[in-house]
């Protein structure tokens, strides 16, 4: 379906944009950057918040968790465990297995059963878990760039609840492609300007400079449309001098 492709392509364009902007992400694989994009757009919408790149623990022997963080929007130091799948299509089994791995990882960490999980993952979990209090929630998040396509959230939620003690502090959040696109757009709407973008002009060096703050060029209408599709009205917001 075109709807599915448009959401996936939108997410892909955001991943490419992040790799162009951030030198630390430039040579990372798309799966890694997708984890950053998903976590950042969901939990770090406030432009005053800085996403801790060390939250991404995806790698060899990560125990099935891709990111670990404390929810910066929570006063109770909620612990967030994230698994992400940069897929175009996904099945119920894929989602169920990912959630099961997250729960197994959490239980193993709590029980001190570290197995072959790499040290940096163990250390980060233990440090964050030390901040968890009686009022804290443990939030399991699953992100995928694929559409839901009939996968029943209630079915996944039921299996999740059956795998943990009957405790209100445990919460599962599922984000499919359309959910993530909405999170990204909400995050972008809170930024007053566009951080960066790429334009194509008619020929090399064909531009007029006006001091340090402005230039005039003949640019491709397609690239302008593409930038607007990614950034919305933020593209036309004037950046004020501080």
């Amino acid at each position: 379906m075109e709807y599915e492709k448009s959401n996936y392509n939108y997410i892909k364009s955001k991943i490419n944009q992040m790799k162009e902007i951030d030198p630390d992400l430039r040579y990372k694989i798309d799966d890694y950057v997708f984890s950053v994009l998903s976590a950042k757009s969901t939990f770090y919408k406030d432009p005053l918040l800085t996403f801790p790149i060390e939250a991404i623990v995806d790698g060899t022997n990560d125990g099935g968790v891709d990111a670990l963080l404390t929810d910066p929007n929570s006063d109770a130091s909620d612990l967030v465990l994230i698994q992400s799948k940069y897929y175009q299509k996904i099945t119920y089994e894929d989602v169920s297995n990912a959630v099961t791995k997250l729960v197994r990882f959490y239980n193993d960490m709590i029980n001190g059963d570290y197995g072959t999980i790499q040290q940096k993952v163990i250390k980060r979990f233990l440090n964050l878990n030390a901040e968890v209090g009686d009022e804290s929630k443990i939030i399991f998040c699953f992100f995928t760039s694929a559409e839901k396509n009939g996968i029943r959230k209630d079915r996944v939620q039921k299996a999740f609840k059956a795998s943990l003690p009957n405790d209100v502090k445990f919460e599962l959040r599922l984000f499919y492609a359309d959910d993530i696109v909405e999170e990204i757009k909400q995050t972008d709407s809170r930024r007053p300007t566009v951080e960066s973008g790429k334009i194509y002009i008619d020929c090399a060096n064909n531009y007029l400079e006006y001091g340090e703050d402005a230039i005039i060029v003949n640019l491709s209408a397609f690239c302008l449309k593409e930038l607007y599709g990614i950034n919305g009205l933020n593209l036309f917001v004037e950046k004020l001098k501080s």
Side-chain angles (χ1 to χ4, degrees):
M1 294 174 61
E2 290 303 317
Y3 177 71
E4 296 176 5
K5 290 181 181 178
S6 65
N7 278 332
Y8 180 83
N9 288 338
Y10 180 87
I11 292 170
K12 184 177 181 179
S13 71
K14 281 294 184 179
I15 288 173
N16 291 336
Q17 185 182 52
M18 290 180 72
K19 293 173 82 168
E20 287 184 3
I21 293 170
D22 192 339
D24 293 333
L25 299 178
R26 191 158 297 155
Y27 301 107
K28 297 292 186 181
I29 62 173
D30 287 354
D31 300 69
Y32 181 99
V33 183
F34 175 64
S35 295
V36 178
L37 174 64
S38 302
K40 189 175 181 179
S41 299
T42 304
F43 295 100
Y44 288 80
K45 286 184 172 64
D46 188 338
L48 297 178
L49 293 174
T50 301
F51 179 75
I53 196 63
E54 63 272 16
I56 306 300
V57 295
D58 183 22
T60 306
N61 296 327
D62 58 22
V65 64
D66 291 330
L68 293 167
L69 55 91
T70 297
D71 184 353
N73 309 291
S74 165
D75 293 330
S77 297
D78 293 346
L79 175 63
V80 182
L81 299 88
I82 293 172
Q83 170 68 261
S84 64
K85 296 292 184 187
Y86 183 50
Y87 287 178
Q88 284 191 272
K89 294 185 180 297
I90 203 162
T91 65
Y92 168 80
E93 287 70 25
D94 293 328
V95 178
S96 179
N97 289 339
V99 173
T100 297
K101 284 183 179 180
L102 276 180
V103 173
R104 184 185 302 128
F105 170 85
Y106 176 78
N107 286 333
D108 286 346
M109 291 296 100
I110 292 298
N111 295 324
D113 185 8
Y114 304 138
T116 59
I117 297 175
Q118 58 176 302
Q119 191 63 37
K120 77 166 187 177
V121 181
I122 299 170
K123 183 178 178 180
R124 181 158 183 84
F125 176 87
L126 293 178
N127 287 340
L128 296 180
N129 192 57
E131 301 174 12
V132 171
D134 293 337
E135 302 300 318
S136 303
K137 285 182 175 291
I138 310 299
I139 302 170
F140 298 81
C141 281
F142 174 74
F143 295 99
T144 181
S145 52
E147 299 295 338
K148 183 167 60 174
N149 283 336
I151 298 174
R152 290 171 46 188
K153 284 189 176 183
D154 62 325
R155 187 182 175 195
V156 182
Q157 289 281 0
K158 184 177 180 180
F160 168 75
K161 290 179 180 178
S163 65
L164 285 164
N166 185 18
D167 196 319
V168 294
K169 73 177 181 178
F170 297 114
E171 180 180 331
L172 174 63
R173 300 180 187 176
L174 303 172
F175 297 84
Y176 295 92
D178 55 342
D179 302 309
I180 294 173
V181 168
E182 181 60 28
E183 295 291 334
I184 294 170
K185 289 183 176 179
Q186 288 181 20
T187 301
D188 286 349
S189 71
R190 299 182 65 172
R191 289 205 308 261
T193 59
V194 175
E195 294 177 7
S196 74
K198 182 184 290 185
I199 63 171
Y200 297 92
I201 62 177
D202 56 349
C203 58
N205 302 317
N206 185 24
Y207 60 88
L208 295 175
E209 289 189 65
Y210 287 83
E212 297 180 354
D213 301 316
I215 61 171
I216 293 179
V217 298
N218 294 319
L219 75 152
S220 159
F222 178 79
C223 78
L224 179 61
K225 181 180 179 181
E226 188 176 52
L227 285 172
Y228 179 77
I230 294 172
N231 300 286
L233 291 176
N234 285 341
L235 183 64
F236 306 110
V237 174
E238 181 182 2
K239 185 175 182 181
L240 300 177
K241 291 183 178 180
S242 57

